[in-house]
């Protein structure tokens, strides 16, 4: 993970044409042996949803494509933000999908998933990047209420796992759609076993794009996270309570960063006042929730979040040096917290 500064040339020859490219390699930086640098948390920006030209209390979700952040309000054109600064850069043309985009999720390969949310039918449309043409590729009739929150692991156009929890009441269940070579199979219903409590309005995320991947599931009323064996649906471990019963945990995400696995969960109140919060865990050891930080989310708190909607997305920079945690609270704000894995703190 280090390298000296040097200059070299590459000669390209095609028929009689010759191009010489000069390549400059800057001096490499030394990184932590594993995981993030303790104390590297930095709030990069926080922006009120009302300032983005969307209906603040209709914003349901966020997604990441490269260094861009997508903010989705129910039925409105999704907004594109610069993920590093929070500045608005435009909107997404959804074509015929516009109006049916209750929420958005992103995969690990720069693709987006828009979906409906209503009892009776679950519809999902995928889209390549920020400028592709959305296409419906999942339609599932289901009398129960699912797909308020959807999480994707893998590649929507290759192999992926799409998961969504139950929204109609108290349940330990989630639906998992397996995508193989870009084709989605019929959903598989899962229900975790031997947990100490049953959540309401569940959120779920699979750690890897595999049908037997472990998954994390949480929900309002339990306010803890259940680590579940994806092969047996047995609970492996439970986290401590993240917050008191005046609040609810309703979003979580996981990512691998510098050869280490991390999980973030966020919570908020559902009343006329709001106090947002979140927790970052090191989950590199199976069955162990090692809390390493309480997230600084004060600038993202809503005045009122009666819908109880929130979203968190984690991603890693292309060079692998930075981990970004994006958090959104409906009717409040969206923002970014950055971590790094540098061996030494940058000089001021």
């Amino acid at each position: 993970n280090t390298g000296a500064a040097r200059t070299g040339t590459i000669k390209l020859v095609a028929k009689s044409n010759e191009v010489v490219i000069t390549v400059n390699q800057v001096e490499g930086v030394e990184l932590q042996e594993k995981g993030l640098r303790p104390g590297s948390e930095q709030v990069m920006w926080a922006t009120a949803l009302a300032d983005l030209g969307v209906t603040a209390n209709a914003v349901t979700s966020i997604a990441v494509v490269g260094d861009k952040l997508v903010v989705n309000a129910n039925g409105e054109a999704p907004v594109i933000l610069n993920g590093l600064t929070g500045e608005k850069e435009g909107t997404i043309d959804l074509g015929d999908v516009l109006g049916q985009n209750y929420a958005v999720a992103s995969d690990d390969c720069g693709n987006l998933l828009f979906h409906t949310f209503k009892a009776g039918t679950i519809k999902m449309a995928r889209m390549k990047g920020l400028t592709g043409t959305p296409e419906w590729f999942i339609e599932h009739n289901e009398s129960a209420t699912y797909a308020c929150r959807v999480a994707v692991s893998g590649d929507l156009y290759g192999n992926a796992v799409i998961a969504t929890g139950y929204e109609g009441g108290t349940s330990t269940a989630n639906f998992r759609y397996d995508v193989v070579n870009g084709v989605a199979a019929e959903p598989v219903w899962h229900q975790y076993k031997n947990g100490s409590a049953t959540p309401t309005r569940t959120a779920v995320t699979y750690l890897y794009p595999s049908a037997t991947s472990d998954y994390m599931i949480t929900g309002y009323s339990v306010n803890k996270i259940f680590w579940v064996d994806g092969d047996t649906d047995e609970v492996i471990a439970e986290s401590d309570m993240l917050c008191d019963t005046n609040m609810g945990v309703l979003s979580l995400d996981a990512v691998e960063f510098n050869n280490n696995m991390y999980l973030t969960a966020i919570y908020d109140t559902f009343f006329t006042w709001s106090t947002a919060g979140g927790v970052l865990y090191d989950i590199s050891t199976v069955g162990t929730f090692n809390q390493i930080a309480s997230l600084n989310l004060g600038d993202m708190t809503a005045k009122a979040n009666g819908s109880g909607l929130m979203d968190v997305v984690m991603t890693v920079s292309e060079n692998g040096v930075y981990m970004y945690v994006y958090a959104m609270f409906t009717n409040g704000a969206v923002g970014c917290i950055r971590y790094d894995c540098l061996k030494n703190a940058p000089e001021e």
Side-chain angles (χ1 to χ4, degrees):
N1 290 336
T2 61
R6 59 183 177 178
T7 299
T9 59
I10 300 174
K11 182 182 290 187
L12 305 177
V13 179
K15 294 184 179 179
S16 60
N17 298 314
E18 180 178 301
V19 177
V20 177
I21 302 174
T22 300
V23 179
N24 294 304
Q25 176 180 301
V26 298
E27 185 175 358
V29 293
E30 195 168 4
L31 306 180
Q32 297 280 323
E33 185 175 326
K34 183 181 181 182
L36 59 78
R37 176 173 62 86
S40 63
E41 177 181 316
Q42 181 180 359
V43 178
M44 300 296 291
W45 55 267
T47 301
L49 297 174
D51 294 337
L52 300 178
V54 296
T55 305
N57 62 7
V59 176
T60 59
S61 48
I62 55 177
V64 171
V65 176
D67 61 358
K68 309 300 180 185
L69 184 71
V70 177
V71 179
N72 184 88
N74 183 14
E76 300 179 14
V79 171
I80 303 170
L81 303 184
N82 183 309
L84 305 181
T85 65
E87 295 180 4
K88 182 176 177 178
E89 296 188 350
T91 58
I92 294 177
D93 181 3
L94 289 182
D96 294 340
V97 173
L98 183 64
Q100 301 183 76
N101 54 309
Y102 174 79
V104 66
S106 46
D107 68 6
D108 300 325
C109 299
N111 305 307
L112 295 171
L113 181 76
F114 294 93
H115 57 90
T116 59
F117 170 52
K118 59 182 179 180
T121 303
I122 300 172
K123 293 178 66 178
M124 301 184 186
R126 62 186 174 186
M127 175 179 177
K128 291 186 177 181
L130 300 172
T131 58
T133 300
E135 58 173 346
W136 295 108
F137 89 121
I138 289 178
E139 184 168 347
H140 169 217
N141 294 323
E142 174 58 48
S143 59
T145 307
Y146 285 84
C148 180
R149 285 162 294 278
V150 171
V152 183
S153 178
D155 181 359
L156 288 168
Y157 292 86
N159 299 323
V161 169
I162 303 170
T164 180
Y166 182 64
E167 187 70 12
T170 300
S171 176
T172 61
N174 75 90
F175 269 127
R176 190 196 74 231
Y177 300 82
D178 296 323
V179 180
V180 179
N181 296 325
V183 178
E186 289 296 310
V188 180
W189 188 77
H190 286 264
Q191 188 172 25
Y192 70 75
K193 308 168 188 175
N194 300 322
S196 65
T198 302
T200 304
R201 302 178 64 184
T202 53
V204 60
T205 189
Y206 279 70
L207 299 184
Y208 302 101
S210 163
T212 58
S213 165
D214 289 356
Y215 61 91
M216 303 290 186
I217 189 167
T218 187
Y220 176 59
S221 75
V222 296
N223 294 337
K224 62 169 61 177
I225 304 167
F226 299 93
W227 189 324
V228 186
D229 185 308
D231 192 31
T232 65
D233 287 320
E234 295 281 347
V235 172
I236 298 172
E238 301 180 12
S239 72
D240 292 333
M241 295 282 288
L242 278 72
C243 54
D244 64 36
T245 54
N246 286 319
M247 305 176 188
V249 182
L250 270 179
S251 187
L252 70 174
D253 195 22
V255 75
E256 183 175 349
F257 175 53
N258 193 26
N259 301 311
N260 211 73
M261 283 297 295
Y262 293 96
L263 173 75
T264 301
I266 60 174
Y267 54 85
D268 199 0
T269 58
F270 296 5
F271 306 112
T272 56
W273 48 274
S274 178
T275 304
V279 176
L280 176 65
Y281 295 99
D282 178 334
I283 57 168
S284 55
T285 300
V286 174
T288 299
F289 291 95
N290 178 20
Q291 181 176 335
I292 59 175
S294 293
L295 302 186
N296 181 5
L297 301 176
D299 290 338
M300 303 173 205
T301 301
K303 293 181 180 179
N305 188 1
S307 66
L309 293 176
M310 61 200 77
D311 202 6
V312 63
V313 179
M314 306 177 72
T315 190
V316 175
S317 63
E318 187 176 358
N319 63 9
V321 175
Y322 299 102
M323 179 176 74
Y324 298 96
V325 178
Y326 295 98
M328 183 282 300
F329 296 90
T330 300
N331 206 36
V334 60
C336 173
I337 298 175
R338 188 184 73 181
Y339 297 84
D340 67 56
C341 59
L342 299 170
K343 184 172 183 179
N344 302 304
E347 296 182 1
E348 296 295 336

